[in-house]
């Protein structure tokens, strides 16, 4: 090896080691790609304070809503890879939206540095109380009896609610019309009001209406039945395991993020998740704690993207 090359390698190693020891030495921005109040925002704010303590610097949550999460995700993809601007990764921003929208300015598999999946959240199909059926078997029979009669709401075209429901429709052989909204809040409001007969939504945002019997749960995407909904089957139980996919809420940075930063943030989140109060707050939303490795989270993102890319092709979905 040439002496100059060896010297360059040594300087690079020393610089990397010095950076690892000093990071972080100023506040870290954590971009939430949706408006305040949703599940993504709740989990980000729950983890931000204990992560601040673990890293020794403030972790400041910044909401950058728009484009079904694309605006905030694009900001993270374009950030300087120094660890001071990170983002919250969701299925909508890293899989569903990129699968259906060829104009998105980032590649979910190459333009980010996955760090850790913090939590996973069940998704649910729920109907208005006026819907003729109140259980899964009756739901399928009713929809098949009147193909095209019913519609469902979601948080928007290209989001997880849209594409996961389309995956379900494809496998179950059902015809239900999609009514997209600009967020889960408006979609829930119209479904609860009876303007739309059913919704595909994250469990945390739907749960208050389920508890008040203003929505009726039909089937849930979760590893096992939800304790608070003991009579509601999972998609796996009804023979549709490919639909049994939960939403994830992770942390990632732009591509090229130093391994030292990735490892330090991953360790900080894991430490934060050891706090019983933090775990309880996340679990109270209906979510499951994950806390995996960067490699495992990267594999999850790829698996979800591949799944929804197939859904878009099979269902011939477009943004129009």
């Amino acid at each position: 090896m040439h002496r100059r090359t060896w010297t360059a390698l040594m300087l690079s190693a020393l610089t990397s080691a010095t950076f690892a020891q000093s990071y972080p030495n100023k506040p870290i921005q954590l971009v939430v790609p949706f408006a305040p109040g949703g599940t993504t925002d709740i989990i980000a704010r729950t983890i931000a304070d204990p992560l601040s303590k673990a890293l020794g610097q403030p972790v400041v949550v910044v909401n950058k809503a728009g484009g079904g999460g694309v605006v905030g995700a694009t900001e993270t993809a374009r950030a300087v890879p120094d660890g001071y601007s990170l983002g919250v990764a969701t299925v909508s921003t890293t899989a569903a939206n990129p699968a259906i929208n060829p104009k998105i300015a980032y590649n979910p598999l190459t333009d980010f540095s996955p760090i850790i999946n913090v939590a996973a959240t069940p998704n649910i199909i729920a109907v208005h109380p006026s819907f003729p059926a109140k259980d899964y078997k009756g739901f399928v029979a009713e929809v098949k009896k009147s193909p095209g009669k019913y519609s469902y709401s979601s948080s928007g075209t290209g989001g997880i609610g849209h594409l996961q429901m389309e995956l379900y429709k494809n496998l179950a052989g059902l015809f239900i019309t999609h009514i997209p909204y600009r967020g889960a809040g408006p979609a829930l409001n119209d479904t609860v009001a009876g303007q739309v007969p059913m919704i595909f939504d994250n469990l945390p945002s739907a749960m208050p209406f389920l508890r008040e019997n203003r929505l009726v749960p039909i089937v849930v995407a979760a590893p096992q039945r939800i304790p608070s909904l003991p009579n509601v089957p999972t998609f796996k139980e009804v023979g549709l395991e490919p639909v049994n996919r939960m939403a994830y809420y992770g942390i990632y940075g732009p591509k090229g993020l130093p391994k030292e930063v990735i490892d330090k943030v991953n360790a900080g989140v894991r430490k934060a998740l050891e706090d019983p109060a933090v775990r309880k707050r996340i679990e109270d939303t209906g979510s499951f704690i994950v806390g995996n490795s960067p490699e495992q989270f990267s594999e999850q993102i790829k698996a979800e993207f591949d799944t929804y890319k197939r859904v878009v092709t099979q269902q011939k979905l477009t943004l129009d």
Side-chain angles (χ1 to χ4, degrees):
M1 184 180 290
H2 292 295
R3 187 170 183 175
R4 185 175 296 173
T5 304
W6 174 255
T7 302
L9 288 172
M10 288 297 293
L11 285 173
S12 176
L14 287 170
T15 301
S16 179
T18 302
F19 181 81
Q21 290 171 0
S22 64
Y23 175 84
N25 57 22
K26 62 181 181 180
I28 299 165
Q29 174 179 269
L30 181 61
V31 175
V32 172
F34 298 101
T39 306
T40 312
D41 185 65
I42 292 169
I43 289 177
R45 292 181 186 279
T46 298
I47 206 71
D49 184 55
L51 181 57
S52 298
K53 293 174 183 174
L55 296 177
Q57 288 290 338
V59 175
V60 182
V61 175
V62 179
N63 296 86
K64 296 279 184 177
V70 171
V71 172
T74 301
E75 176 165 320
T76 297
R78 292 175 175 172
V80 176
D82 58 6
Y84 292 100
S85 183
L86 306 174
V88 179
T90 70
V91 174
S92 290
T93 57
T94 61
N97 258 310
I100 197 174
N101 186 356
K103 295 182 180 179
I104 284 179
Y106 60 81
N107 183 318
L109 306 184
T110 60
D111 288 341
F112 298 103
S113 298
I115 298 175
I116 189 168
N117 183 1
V118 178
T121 297
N123 299 304
I124 193 165
I125 293 178
V127 299
H128 187 267
S130 64
F131 191 82
K134 301 295 186 288
D135 59 24
Y136 182 74
K137 186 177 180 181
F139 171 84
V140 172
E142 176 62 27
V143 174
K144 285 192 171 181
K145 183 175 71 178
S146 308
K149 175 181 178 180
Y150 294 108
S151 58
Y152 75 95
S153 65
S154 84
S155 60
T157 300
I160 184 175
H162 174 207
L163 266 65
Q164 196 164 0
M165 184 67 164
E166 292 299 321
L167 174 60
Y168 167 66
K169 285 165 51 182
N170 177 264
L171 295 176
L174 301 179
F175 177 23
I176 311 170
T177 303
H178 179 220
I179 308 293
Y181 284 79
R182 299 177 69 86
L188 277 163
N189 289 340
D190 271 14
T191 309
V192 170
Q195 300 297 318
V196 187
M198 68 187 75
I199 186 170
F200 196 111
D201 191 30
N202 292 144
L203 182 61
S205 47
M207 185 62 86
F209 301 104
L210 297 171
R211 287 177 177 147
E212 295 169 4
N213 297 317
R214 298 170 73 188
L215 287 176
V216 179
I218 297 298
V219 60
V220 65
Q224 61 269 335
R225 292 198 180 198
I226 306 299
S228 56
L229 302 172
N231 298 319
V232 182
T234 66
F235 282 102
K236 181 178 180 179
E237 287 181 75
V238 300
L240 297 170
E241 187 169 4
V243 192
N244 213 47
R245 320 181 77 83
M246 295 200 294
Y248 52 67
Y249 302 93
I251 295 178
Y252 61 178
K255 68 179 178 182
L257 203 61
K259 183 177 185 302
E260 296 80 11
V261 171
I262 293 173
D263 291 345
K264 191 165 278 191
V265 175
N266 182 280
V269 174
R270 286 174 180 265
K271 183 173 178 59
L273 292 175
E274 292 174 1
D275 185 336
V278 174
R279 295 181 69 88
K280 183 178 186 303
R281 187 168 181 208
I282 291 174
E283 289 168 347
D284 281 350
T285 70
S287 302
F288 296 83
I289 303 294
V290 180
N292 59 5
S293 70
E295 294 76 19
Q296 289 169 328
F297 190 30
S298 180
E299 289 170 4
Q300 280 186 294
I301 291 172
K302 185 179 187 306
E304 292 305 297
F305 177 72
D306 289 347
T307 293
Y308 291 116
K309 196 67 180 172
R310 285 194 299 273
V311 172
V312 168
T313 301
Q314 291 168 355
Q315 294 290 84
K316 297 181 174 59
L317 302 178
T318 66
L319 289 175
D320 301 328

